[in-house]
Amino acid sequence: MKIIEQYLCGKVSDDRCEDGIVTTPSFVAVIDGSTSKTPRHIHPRLRNGRYAMLLISDAIRQLPEDVSRETCIQMLSDVLYQQYGKVLSMANNNGNASSTIPAVVPPEQRLTASAIVYSDYRKEIWMIGDCQCLVDGRLYENGKPSEREHAEKRARYILAHPDDPDAPEKGRELIVPDLIRSMREGQNKQYAVLDGYPVFLPGVKTISVAQSREIVLASDGYPFLKPTLEESEQALRQQLHDDPQNIHTFLATKGLVAGNRSFDDRAYIRFRR
């Protein structure tokens, strides 16, 4: 494999970025930690999305070269589930756990991430959750089934309150209960993510790339994925300029917050087999 270009950028800052990129002689991966929907965190200093990304990144670096898709998913899930056990153990022993969690962690409180993994041995791409890729220029996506519905509801609210400078924030707050409900009803039941619990395998998309040459893996921080980093960045800059709240040309469940670099963290890597 030859890495051509890669880029990682946090929407607020790099040290708070919940996206990650992993490259090893056998794997290339992009991990997208899920934005926390509640104030309860597993790690005392890190948000759940960033902690999940860091744990999964380390686990990918330790994967056996010839690991199967199912075993890979199980190993990545296990490293998340182990963290719940540690917190429960500390709580039961009256330790200084950063937070106590129930025996079965509700989806909105879990360490949750999407990941897209290329296995050089298997010549396959595994899309676990909301991520995207280009294979010889062809786009593949694996979005959540209810995401557009929530984005449309947010957009309608903002458009209905053009004179309210707080409309974007209120629009986001309006759909947070919907996002949590969707997680409770659909997470690893209707769509796949890595959250420490059994993954909904029908929601994992597998792409054979044995006959392919050039591959781009990216998180959903790029609204319009292009064959090169500069093209993808230019498309993002145009989106942020023309439609910063993502309510017209691109619909999303969140928009650009004043002072931030973008509406979401982003990760991009292009390589040749």
Side-chain angles (χ1 to χ4, degrees):
M1 293 183 293
K2 178 184 178 182
I3 306 300
I4 302 171
E5 55 183 353
Q6 60 180 307
Y7 185 61
L8 184 65
C9 183
K11 64 179 180 288
V12 177
S13 62
D14 291 345
D15 63 333
R16 293 178 59 181
C17 185
E18 296 176 329
D19 284 4
I21 297 173
V22 175
T23 60
T24 75
S26 302
F27 301 98
V28 178
V30 164
I31 305 97
D32 182 355
S34 178
T35 302
S36 297
K37 307 299 187 299
T38 73
R40 177 171 287 177
H41 300 152
I42 302 299
H43 191 279
R45 295 180 302 278
L46 299 176
R47 291 180 176 272
N48 282 352
R50 181 164 175 80
Y51 191 34
M53 178 274 291
L54 292 172
L55 290 167
I56 292 169
S57 296
D58 286 343
I60 290 173
R61 295 185 184 99
Q62 300 174 47
L63 289 173
E65 173 190 27
D66 61 348
V67 70
S68 67
R69 184 190 75 157
E70 287 72 16
T71 302
C72 169
I73 290 171
Q74 186 62 57
M75 292 177 72
L76 300 184
S77 296
D78 287 348
V79 76
L80 299 180
Y81 187 76
Q82 290 166 6
Q83 304 307 309
Y84 307 145
K86 290 178 182 178
V87 175
L88 280 170
S89 177
M90 289 182 69
N92 291 336
N93 293 321
N94 296 317
N96 295 318
S98 61
S99 61
T100 57
I101 59 174
V104 177
V105 184
E108 70 273 14
Q109 295 178 17
R110 295 175 188 171
L111 298 168
T112 303
S114 298
I116 180 166
V117 182
Y118 166 70
S119 164
D120 196 51
Y121 181 90
R122 300 284 176 178
K123 303 297 187 290
E124 291 180 342
I125 295 172
W126 305 323
M127 304 180 76
I128 314 160
D130 192 357
C131 44
Q132 54 183 334
C133 67
L134 291 171
V135 179
D136 289 338
R138 180 178 177 182
L139 177 66
Y140 294 86
E141 298 175 295
N142 195 32
K144 297 176 184 177
S146 59
E147 195 82 354
R148 185 173 181 85
E149 174 187 339
H150 303 322
E152 289 175 343
K153 180 176 180 179
R154 172 181 169 273
R156 286 195 300 270
Y157 180 89
I158 295 172
L159 290 168
H161 300 82
D163 299 323
D164 184 357
D166 296 324
E169 180 180 354
K170 293 176 182 177
R172 172 67 182 182
E173 292 174 353
L174 177 69
I175 66 169
V176 167
D178 299 326
L179 295 172
I180 292 175
R181 183 170 59 254
S182 291
M183 294 173 75
R184 291 176 176 175
E185 295 175 354
Q187 186 161 305
N188 279 326
K189 298 175 183 176
Q190 300 171 0
Y191 63 88
V193 291
L194 293 165
D195 67 358
Y197 288 84
V199 171
F200 178 64
L201 291 179
V204 177
K205 186 175 291 186
T206 300
I207 306 166
S208 175
V209 295
Q211 305 302 316
S212 305
R213 178 162 174 76
E214 190 163 293
I215 297 169
V216 174
L217 308 182
S219 66
D220 62 357
Y222 285 98
F224 308 106
L225 189 59
K226 304 294 183 180
T228 69
L229 175 59
E230 176 51 35
E231 289 176 294
S232 299
E233 285 286 310
Q234 174 56 36
L236 174 60
R237 287 193 293 268
Q238 194 69 47
Q239 174 65 24
L240 294 175
H241 178 271
D242 296 343
D243 181 22
Q245 287 306 318
N246 297 324
I247 57 176
H248 295 294
T249 54
F250 172 73
L251 293 179
T253 58
K254 51 192 173 185
L256 181 63
V257 174
N260 284 5
R261 299 166 170 177
S262 185
F263 68 92
D264 201 358
D265 302 324
R266 61 193 189 271
Y268 179 108
I269 184 165
R270 177 162 67 109
F271 60 98
R272 290 195 182 101
R273 288 191 44 250

